[in-house]
Amino acid sequence: MHGSTEGPELNPLRAYLMGTGSWFVGFGIQMVTFAWLVTMVLDASPAMVGVAQMALLTPMLILVLIGGGLADFLGGRRVALVAQGLAVLPPLLLALVIWQGQLSFATMVAYGIAMGSVSAFLTPARDGLLNDVASGTVQQAVVLAMLVQFIGQMVGIFIASFATRWGAVTVLTFQGTIFLVGVLGFARIPRPEVAPVRRHTSMLTELRQSIVAGYRVVAGDPATRTTVLQNIAISVFFIGAFIVTIPLLVREYYGGDSTELGWTNGAFSLGLVIVVALLTRVPDLTHPGRALIVAQATGAVALAGAGLGVPFPVFVALILTWGAFGGVAMSMSRTIVQERAPADSRGRVLSFYTLSLMGAGPIGALFNGFMVGWIGPRHTLVLAAGLMFLTMVVVALTSQLWNLKGHTTDS
């Protein structure tokens, strides 16, 4: 049961999706504008593009476990509400700096650190809330949340694709404003009647104990452990390629700007949306681990094709295909972890999931940035895809993930 909340009544799941959708509209804007400002407006070198993206991802590595512990300690709703509110400030401050004509690489690094820090606290808190508001099976709720996430990203990417025409100040101001909508959404999620359990210890002790407990849950479950480990490869090879290599490829090989970046990011998100929408129409998959492995390996083949110097329309189509298989993989990996996480440590377990998915991102950003400087963006994209394919072959041959059966009841 839930307690009352202030303001007009709103279905808890709809309120959750309102907050989630708002964040990912803003995140979609950030995907394009951050890469555009660093790669094309500031004309940074490949290595410095990697450094800038590392600044965006490093706070996740440092803070996400603390964020998950705080979500369990203080309650996910409270942490999500505060973090979403703080997210309003960085884009508005960056817009002010650009309006004053003071944009610099250091400014972008500071923005990246600020947004990365907010995300580290918001993500595990928001993800942990999903089980509380879900009205069907966990897999159904996960797929619905991801559908809203990717549609939101597409909307944000579409808006950001006009950054060259409208100007960064306009787009960033809209980004900050849309984050406010998410604050209203999370505020409409009812407060739990029972407050989160507090022990007679300090908050730091509680956080340390919660992180250790979360690690034990992850390490003690083979399916969760394998899913978390393969997420690290995703972070290094796939996410690193997406945020560093692909923008550099668009700049250096296709001669693009924010419009072409918007097409590329939009195609990826469209692929995600199409598949996740289809997943809402079919019964829960009985072997989520098998679907995860096949989707990751097939997506790697599509990504390798995008690095072969194909015409831009074919490149966009291959990125869309990669995104489609990514939709299956991301849905299944999150479902596996979400279903198997104990209710009393869900925030901590999901913080490890987020850490594995994003925490190795700084390594991936640097790896891709320096490899582009060494062998060029096309060859780097093929290399990253090939290494990811090999990783999934190893996972299929050495883990129990292939035969894992999913839950079909509420969690």
Side-chain angles (χ1 to χ4, degrees):
M1 290 184 63
H2 299 283
S4 61
T5 184
E6 298 173 3
E9 240 183 76
L10 191 60
N11 177 284
L13 180 58
R14 291 182 180 179
Y16 175 88
L17 295 176
M18 177 180 172
T20 298
S22 161
W23 170 262
F24 282 102
V25 171
F27 181 76
I29 292 173
Q30 179 176 285
M31 287 170 64
V32 176
T33 54
F34 189 84
W36 171 62
L37 289 170
V38 173
T39 307
M40 297 167 187
V41 175
L42 294 176
D43 197 28
S45 68
M48 296 310 287
V49 172
V51 170
Q53 294 288 358
M54 184 181 72
L56 192 62
L57 297 173
T58 298
M60 186 71 71
L61 174 64
I62 298 172
L63 299 173
V64 70
L65 296 182
I66 298 175
L70 277 177
D72 287 335
F73 188 81
L74 299 175
R77 177 187 179 274
R78 182 185 301 179
V79 175
L81 190 58
V82 172
Q84 181 83 15
L86 291 174
V88 175
L89 299 177
L92 295 181
L93 291 175
L94 180 59
L96 179 62
V97 169
I98 294 173
W99 180 68
Q100 293 177 334
Q102 301 296 319
L103 180 65
S104 66
F105 185 80
T107 303
M108 295 307 300
V109 169
Y111 170 86
I113 292 172
M115 288 303 297
S117 299
V118 169
S119 182
F121 287 96
L122 175 61
T123 301
R126 184 188 63 233
D127 290 351
L129 280 173
L130 181 56
N131 290 65
D132 297 333
V133 301
S135 56
T137 66
V138 173
Q139 188 173 137
Q140 290 170 344
V142 167
V143 169
L144 181 59
M146 294 189 73
L147 180 61
V148 170
Q149 167 184 336
F150 297 136
I151 290 175
Q153 278 184 205
M154 284 189 63
V155 172
I157 288 167
F158 176 76
I159 293 168
S161 68
F162 292 95
T164 303
R165 184 182 307 175
W166 295 346
V169 172
T170 300
V171 173
L172 289 167
T173 300
F174 182 84
Q175 180 187 4
T177 304
I178 199 66
F179 282 147
L180 280 174
V181 176
V183 175
L184 298 177
F186 288 125
R188 292 295 176 263
I189 296 176
R191 295 184 180 90
E193 288 184 350
V194 180
V197 176
R198 295 175 184 252
R199 299 178 179 88
H200 299 293
T201 55
S202 69
M203 180 178 289
L204 289 178
T205 301
E206 181 80 19
L207 285 173
R208 185 177 65 251
Q209 291 173 345
S210 72
I211 291 171
V212 172
Y215 169 78
R216 287 174 178 164
V217 172
V218 172
D221 183 72
T224 301
R225 185 174 64 244
T226 303
T227 302
V228 164
L229 289 175
Q230 67 90 37
N231 273 355
I232 296 173
I234 294 173
S235 186
V236 174
F237 303 130
F238 274 2
I239 295 178
F242 187 78
I243 63 177
V244 175
T245 304
I246 288 178
L248 288 167
L249 184 62
V250 169
R251 182 186 79 180
E252 297 182 4
Y253 187 76
Y254 294 108
D257 57 19
S258 67
T259 302
E260 283 73 22
L261 275 179
W263 273 101
T264 303
N265 287 303
F268 181 82
S269 294
L270 179 60
L272 291 169
V273 168
I274 291 171
V275 169
V276 174
L278 289 175
L279 288 174
T280 65
R281 299 289 185 176
V282 300
D284 289 355
L285 300 184
T286 56
H287 290 87
R290 189 173 302 178
L292 167 63
I293 292 168
V294 172
Q296 296 285 41
T298 310
V301 173
L303 182 63
L308 298 180
V310 295
F312 186 71
V314 178
F315 172 78
V316 170
L318 287 167
I319 295 298
L320 185 148
T321 304
W322 178 41
F325 286 108
V328 176
M330 293 174 69
S331 297
M332 294 305 102
S333 65
R334 183 170 166 187
T335 294
I336 291 168
V337 174
Q338 194 114 19
E339 283 185 339
R340 303 175 77 85
D344 61 351
S345 57
R346 188 168 292 126
R348 286 163 277 182
V349 172
L350 288 170
S351 69
F352 272 94
Y353 173 82
T354 303
L355 175 65
S356 68
L357 189 59
M358 302 300 293
I363 299 172
L366 285 179
F367 169 77
N368 279 268
F370 283 105
M371 289 305 297
V372 168
W374 185 25
I375 62 176
R378 287 174 49 200
H379 293 149
T380 299
L381 203 59
V382 174
L383 175 64
L387 291 173
M388 189 66 208
F389 184 89
L390 290 176
T391 298
M392 299 318 297
V393 171
V394 172
V395 169
L397 295 176
T398 62
S399 76
Q400 301 174 1
L401 211 56
W402 184 264
N403 295 315
L404 177 71
K405 291 188 176 181
H407 299 172
T408 57
T409 58
D410 293 0
S411 178

